[in-house]
């Protein structure tokens, strides 16, 4: 109705700006629109909102001078920079704490791994945490324990090898020196040379078995050869060759046709070693069975010989662990390594007044 609210609002703007506002209001199609005008007082932004009041058109004009807008933006920018700076300082200190929390155990583990690399693995890594770093520390401790066990096994193995090699070498040298001096320890030259030959044969067999153990350790890190092997035929051939050693033994053989995937040479050595052990201790009877289950092939060996002592049975597969009539103590260790390569298992027990061996291989 021509009323201006407040009444002195006309005095706040130059007439040219008021006329511009009126023209914009008349031409405005939408209910709300923003405008910007350049006057002698500077840039002014205003928004025109069209409405109805008491049956009359009502135009609400909201305006902001450029300096006030700049001040608002500057204050907003200063406050934002203050907040951002505070956040950066706080995050920097938090990052230092996090980095220190993470890097301290990592540095400790790095020093510990260096000590392990220098074979100083007696001291455990003391980091008790439940996160990924704690799991890594647990893995390092497990590795340390395995290295200690392997080192002790290696030292024991070297001592046993030295002992086993020393005996035949000492016998050969002493007999050779005695013969050179014209003395025959066995009464005559032929008997003394026979002893030297037997000890040389023993030394040769021991060396071959040690080399074969080393070869098996190498094969365990590679993909074993996979060819179809008929175990029944392989066992039958080995039996035909070994039963001539003791013709007085009665053989009870039951071999069902069974085929597996593997390396024929290593499996032949495995079966020969097991049969040789049973044949050596058998009194009158040998039992051999080959059966099949779902997904597996089962081998059973039994002899009616003297039962194995309990303390020997517990460590029967350890290298150089020999029974009463054992030779090198490497036969069953080789058997166990071969079965490990072929994902098989072996059990040796005292059974029915004799000794049995059960072997399971995946078919």
């Amino acid at each position: 109705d021509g009323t201006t609210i407040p009444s002195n609002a006309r005095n706040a703007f130059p007439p040219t700006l008021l006329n511009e506002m009126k023209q914009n209001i008349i031409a405005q199609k939408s209910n709300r629109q923003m405008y910007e005008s350049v006057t002698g007082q500077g840039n002014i932004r205003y928004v025109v909102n069209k409405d109805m009041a008491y049956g009359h058109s009502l135009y609400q004009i909201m305006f902001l001078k450029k300096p006030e807008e700049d001040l608002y933006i500057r204050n907003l920018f200063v406050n934002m920079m203050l907040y951002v700076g505070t956040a950066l300082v706080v995050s920097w200190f938090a990052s230092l704490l996090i980095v220190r929390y993470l890097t301290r155990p990592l540095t400790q583990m790095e020093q510990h791994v260096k000590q392990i690399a220098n074979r100083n693995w007696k001291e455990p890594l003391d980091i008790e945490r439940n996160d990924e770093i704690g799991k890594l520390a647990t893995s390092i401790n497990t590795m340390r324990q395995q290295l200690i066990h392997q080192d002790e096994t290696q030292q024991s193995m070297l001592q046993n090898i030295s002992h086993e090699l020393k005996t035949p070498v000492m016998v050969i040298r002493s007999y050779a020196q005695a013969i050179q001096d014209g003395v025959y320890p066995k009464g005559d030259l032929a008997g003394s040379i026979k002893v030297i030959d037997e000890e040389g044969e023993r030394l040769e067999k021991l060396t071959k078995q040690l080399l074969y153990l080393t070869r098996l350790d190498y094969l365990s890190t590679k993909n074993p050869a996979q060819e179809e092997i008929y175990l029944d035929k392989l066992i039958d051939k080995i039996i035909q060759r070994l039963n001539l050693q003791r013709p007085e033994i009665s053989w009870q053989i039951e071999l069902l046709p069974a085929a597996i995937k593997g390396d024929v040479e290593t499996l032949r050595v495995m079966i020969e070693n097991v049969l040789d052990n049973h044949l050596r201790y058998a009194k009158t009877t040998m039992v051999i069975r080959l059966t099949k289950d779902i997904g597996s092939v089962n081998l059973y060996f039994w002899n009616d010989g003297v039962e194995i002592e309990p303390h020997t049975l517990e460590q029967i597969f350890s290298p150089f662990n020999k029974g009463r009539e054992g030779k090198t103590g490497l036969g069953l260790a080789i058997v166990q390594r071969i079965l490990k390569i072929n994902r098989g298992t072996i059990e040796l027990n005292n059974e029915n007044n004799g000794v049995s061996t059960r072997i399971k291989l995946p078919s």
Side-chain angles (χ1 to χ4, degrees):
D1 61 353
T3 303
T4 301
I5 302 173
S7 58
N8 60 350
R10 295 178 181 272
N11 301 327
F13 304 99
T16 54
L17 179 58
L18 293 176
N19 291 332
E20 179 183 334
M21 288 181 180
K22 289 180 180 180
Q23 292 175 1
N24 290 335
I25 289 172
I26 296 172
Q28 181 173 317
K29 301 297 182 183
S30 60
N31 292 332
R32 181 188 293 265
Q33 189 169 341
M34 187 180 70
Y35 302 92
E36 185 171 356
S37 177
V38 181
T39 65
Q41 297 178 352
N43 293 356
I44 295 179
R45 289 181 181 177
Y46 60 93
V47 176
V48 177
N49 184 40
K50 298 173 70 173
D51 205 347
M52 296 293 294
Y54 305 104
H56 295 280
S57 298
L58 175 65
Y59 305 99
Q60 295 175 309
I61 302 175
M62 295 155 283
F63 60 90
L64 183 67
K65 291 182 179 181
K66 186 67 174 177
E68 295 174 351
E69 181 182 2
D70 293 342
L71 179 62
Y72 169 77
I73 294 175
R74 185 166 58 250
N75 290 336
L76 179 64
F77 178 76
V78 170
N79 290 333
M80 185 172 64
M81 291 300 296
L82 180 62
Y83 295 145
V84 171
T86 303
L88 287 175
V89 172
V90 172
S91 61
W92 182 69
F93 279 106
S95 299
L96 286 179
L97 294 176
I98 294 173
V99 168
R100 187 176 180 182
Y101 176 76
L102 293 175
T103 56
R104 177 181 292 177
L106 291 176
T107 303
Q108 186 178 353
M109 283 189 287
E110 179 190 10
Q111 295 174 353
H112 197 79
V113 170
K114 287 181 179 179
Q115 291 180 357
I116 292 176
N118 293 326
R119 302 177 67 87
N120 298 323
W121 46 50
K122 297 300 181 183
E123 293 296 328
L125 179 60
D126 188 15
I127 296 179
E128 296 182 0
R129 293 172 54 157
N130 296 323
D131 54 5
E132 286 74 11
I133 294 178
K135 293 178 181 178
L136 178 59
T138 302
S139 299
I140 292 176
N141 271 327
T142 303
M143 178 188 68
R144 180 188 65 84
Q145 293 171 358
Q146 291 178 349
L147 287 172
I148 292 174
H149 175 71
Q150 290 181 2
D151 183 64
E152 291 174 350
T153 303
Q154 186 182 39
Q155 294 298 329
S156 176
M157 185 85 168
L158 290 174
Q159 291 176 2
N160 288 326
I161 290 173
S162 300
H163 175 73
E164 292 295 329
L165 292 177
K166 180 177 67 176
T167 303
V169 170
M170 183 177 62
V171 172
I172 291 172
R173 289 196 62 190
S174 61
Y175 269 67
Q177 290 174 357
I179 293 173
Q180 188 178 10
D181 295 335
V183 178
Y184 304 115
K186 283 295 180 179
D188 57 1
L189 179 61
S192 301
I193 291 179
K194 183 180 179 182
V195 172
I196 293 176
D197 183 63
E198 290 174 351
E199 292 297 324
E201 183 182 0
R202 176 187 170 193
L203 186 61
E204 180 185 14
K205 185 174 182 179
L206 178 61
T207 305
K208 286 182 178 179
Q209 288 186 328
L210 287 172
L211 292 175
Y212 197 77
L213 268 178
T214 305
R215 179 172 178 267
L216 290 176
D217 289 337
Y218 170 77
L219 290 177
S220 64
T221 63
K222 307 295 179 182
N223 293 325
Q226 296 293 318
E227 58 178 304
E228 192 172 46
I229 302 169
Y230 291 92
L231 272 183
D232 53 315
K233 296 181 180 179
L234 179 60
I235 295 173
D236 187 59
K237 290 180 180 179
I238 297 173
I239 291 174
Q240 290 178 14
R241 191 172 71 253
L242 292 182
N243 62 6
L244 298 177
Q245 296 179 7
R246 297 191 62 186
E248 75 278 7
I249 296 296
S250 173
W251 295 74
Q252 298 178 16
I253 303 171
E254 182 183 344
L255 302 177
L256 295 181
I260 65 170
K261 295 286 187 179
D263 178 56
V264 64
E265 174 61 24
T266 55
L267 289 174
R268 181 186 62 78
V269 172
M270 182 267 292
I271 295 170
E272 284 181 350
N273 284 356
V274 174
L275 274 176
D276 181 66
N277 273 355
H278 279 275
L279 192 60
R280 187 184 316 136
Y281 293 101
K283 293 180 180 177
T284 60
T285 308
M286 281 277 296
V287 177
I288 302 173
R289 296 195 192 103
L290 174 61
T291 59
K292 292 191 297 184
D293 285 334
I294 298 176
S296 67
V297 173
N298 304 312
L299 280 166
Y300 177 79
F301 304 88
W302 180 86
N303 73 80
D304 61 347
V306 180
E307 293 186 350
I308 303 174
E309 303 89 341
H311 69 276
T312 304
L313 193 60
E314 293 176 358
Q315 300 178 349
I316 196 67
F317 297 106
S318 300
F320 300 104
N321 185 34
K322 294 183 289 187
R324 292 190 184 94
E325 300 177 13
K327 294 182 179 179
T328 62
L330 294 175
L332 289 179
I334 291 174
V335 169
Q336 190 181 48
R337 300 279 181 92
I338 293 173
L339 287 172
K340 185 177 180 181
I341 293 174
N342 289 275
R343 296 176 291 115
T345 59
I346 182 171
E347 292 182 6
L348 198 146
N349 298 295
N350 294 319
E351 181 181 316
N352 298 330
N353 297 320
V355 178
S356 68
T357 301
R358 286 180 170 85
I359 294 174
K360 178 178 284 190
L361 287 163
S363 62

